[in-house]
Amino acid sequence: MAYVAVKGGTKAIEASIERLKYERLKDKEVLDINGIFSGMRGLIDVVMSEASLYSKELASIAIKQSEGNAEEAVFLLRAYRSTLPRKHYTNVVDTKDMFVERRISASFKDILGGQILGASYDYTHRLIDFSIADESKEDARKWVEEFNKKISENKETKYDLRHLPKVLDYLRSQNLIEDCEENNEEPKDVTKESLQFPSTRDQRLQVLTRGQTGGVISLGYSSLRTSGLDDHPTVGELRVGNIPLYISDPIEEGSHEEDYYIGEIKVTEVENFMPTTVINDKGENERKFDIGYGICYGQNESKAIAMSILDQCLQRKNKKYPTGDEEFVLLSIDSVESTGFISHLKLPHYVTFQSKLDSARKIQEEKEGESCEK
């Protein structure tokens, strides 16, 4: 494909950038970073997940700079991420150690440790609350004080929210989970090595978790509508909470004698159950369950569920459906990849279009010549 570089447009480009800043400031109001940080939790979680960079502060700045344009904010964060030195890798995280804020199961009503509804829009009336238009900081302060007082009076719980059992373990104890070989190979880092096909599961999960939220959800929904799977998956457990991160001694590389706690990150984790038929040692058909897995930064439940569905689709590789084609799925959902390619259509394509135009004119002339001969 041929492109033509635009020359002599420096002044026009500078004027365009100036106009862009004008659009952000024309109402003579400046969006407060702390306001974004405190009041746009959902957008921040989406941007951090797609950018593969866990920093609420940086995500807030990117959102302000991009005027709330999520794809542009993700681009900014990914570009910044590429400049950062990779000093350490955290130790393997066990999500059983998550401090749970929200935990539900669509598979069982009664689960050990109980269902914890937490913070969710699932139980609200989807009606605009016009009262928040006049909400003041003083109103917020009073409400939070009352809420904290209520919490302190109801702290009793018989379960440790840091070590709640997994619903998955119950099915495993019943021998209803399809066994799979343990793989302890060092995972490949898709941010440092270009994705190659066929991909490994660790690569697929990385691309899915940083995939464009709307794209992941759309393809997950598509797989359910077009029977991309053999059966309907059921959410075994959805968790939202904070998981602790540790690094090994930076001096004694590989030594776990003294690990260092470096903080926590909030994630959404989903394990869905997908019925499957396996043949046992006696040659008989048995009904068991495969596991679809999804995890992403922040509270991003729809994406994590859709990710777990696509994980199953890509493991089964049913090429009859688009969601079974890993190249189609993994390249389509990448925010920067797909946005970049679509945006490149705005570049000057003068040479290629002139070629197409010449071809169309030539065919038209030939047809007119044939018509004159007749």
Side-chain angles (χ1 to χ4, degrees), residues 3-268:
Y3 305 101
V4 176
V6 178
K7 297 180 180 179
T10 305
K11 289 183 179 180
I13 290 171
E14 288 175 351
S16 173
I17 295 171
E18 196 171 37
R19 177 62 190 233
L20 180 65
K21 187 172 182 178
Y22 168 76
E23 290 295 332
R24 183 170 65 83
L25 301 175
K26 66 183 179 182
D27 292 328
K28 299 174 185 175
E29 292 284 345
V30 177
L31 204 57
D32 183 29
I33 293 297
N34 291 329
I36 298 173
F37 184 93
S38 303
M40 293 190 177
R41 179 173 60 94
L43 182 56
I44 288 172
D45 288 348
V46 165
V47 170
M48 289 194 307
S49 179
E50 295 180 22
S52 294
L53 180 61
Y54 193 92
S55 172
K56 295 180 182 179
E57 294 85 356
L58 290 174
S60 298
I61 294 171
I63 289 167
K64 176 178 179 177
Q65 183 177 337
S66 64
E67 302 177 76
N69 184 324
E71 64 184 39
E72 184 67 23
V74 170
F75 198 117
L76 291 170
L77 266 194
R78 280 206 196 177
Y80 178 75
R81 184 184 189 276
S82 68
T83 68
L84 300 175
R86 198 72 59 87
K87 294 181 178 179
H88 304 285
Y89 283 93
T90 61
N91 298 341
V92 175
V93 171
D94 188 344
T95 54
K96 288 182 179 179
D97 296 330
M98 179 190 295
F99 184 83
V100 175
E101 296 180 4
R102 171 166 159 79
R103 177 195 189 222
I104 60 170
S105 172
S107 302
F108 301 99
K109 179 182 178 182
D110 299 313
I111 53 177
L112 194 59
Q115 307 227 22
I116 303 169
L117 300 189
S120 174
Y121 288 101
D122 290 352
Y123 319 109
T124 63
H125 297 295
R126 264 43 180 242
L127 300 172
I128 294 179
D129 182 2
F130 292 99
S131 67
I132 67 174
D134 300 317
E135 201 172 33
S136 68
K137 288 186 178 180
E138 183 61 22
D139 294 334
R141 184 188 63 78
K142 287 181 180 178
W143 193 94
V144 171
E145 284 179 359
E146 291 175 7
F147 180 81
N148 287 335
K149 183 180 179 181
K150 190 191 301 182
I151 293 295
S152 62
E153 293 171 354
N154 297 279
K155 274 190 172 179
E156 290 185 14
T157 175
K158 59 182 178 179
Y159 293 104
D160 179 6
L161 296 180
R162 176 66 77 180
H163 300 288
L164 286 173
K166 286 290 192 86
V167 174
L168 177 64
D169 291 337
Y170 171 73
L171 286 186
R172 188 170 277 125
S173 69
Q174 302 289 309
N175 194 32
L176 291 171
I177 298 297
E178 173 65 357
D179 292 330
C180 58
E181 293 183 16
E182 190 169 334
N183 185 348
N184 291 318
E185 290 181 11
E186 190 76 20
K188 297 176 181 177
D189 188 342
V190 297
T191 66
K192 296 177 73 175
E193 302 175 30
S194 60
L195 185 63
Q196 302 292 325
F197 298 105
S199 63
T200 56
R201 192 181 182 206
D202 59 300
Q203 290 177 309
R204 294 197 295 271
L205 290 175
Q206 287 176 69
V207 175
L208 286 169
T209 196
R210 62 195 244 126
Q212 201 272 337
T213 302
V216 174
I217 293 171
S218 293
L219 289 182
Y221 171 60
S222 170
S223 73
L224 299 178
R225 288 189 67 251
T226 59
S227 304
L229 293 168
D230 300 328
D231 208 333
H232 196 292
T234 306
V235 173
E237 186 171 5
L238 180 151
R239 290 184 171 205
V240 178
N242 293 292
I243 52 175
L245 300 179
Y246 295 86
I247 60 170
S248 300
D249 190 325
I251 306 300
E252 296 290 333
E253 286 290 338
S255 171
H256 292 279
E257 293 183 9
E258 187 174 4
D259 292 335
Y260 294 89
Y261 171 78
I262 60 171
E264 294 188 333
I265 59 172
K266 179 182 278 191
V267 299
T268 301

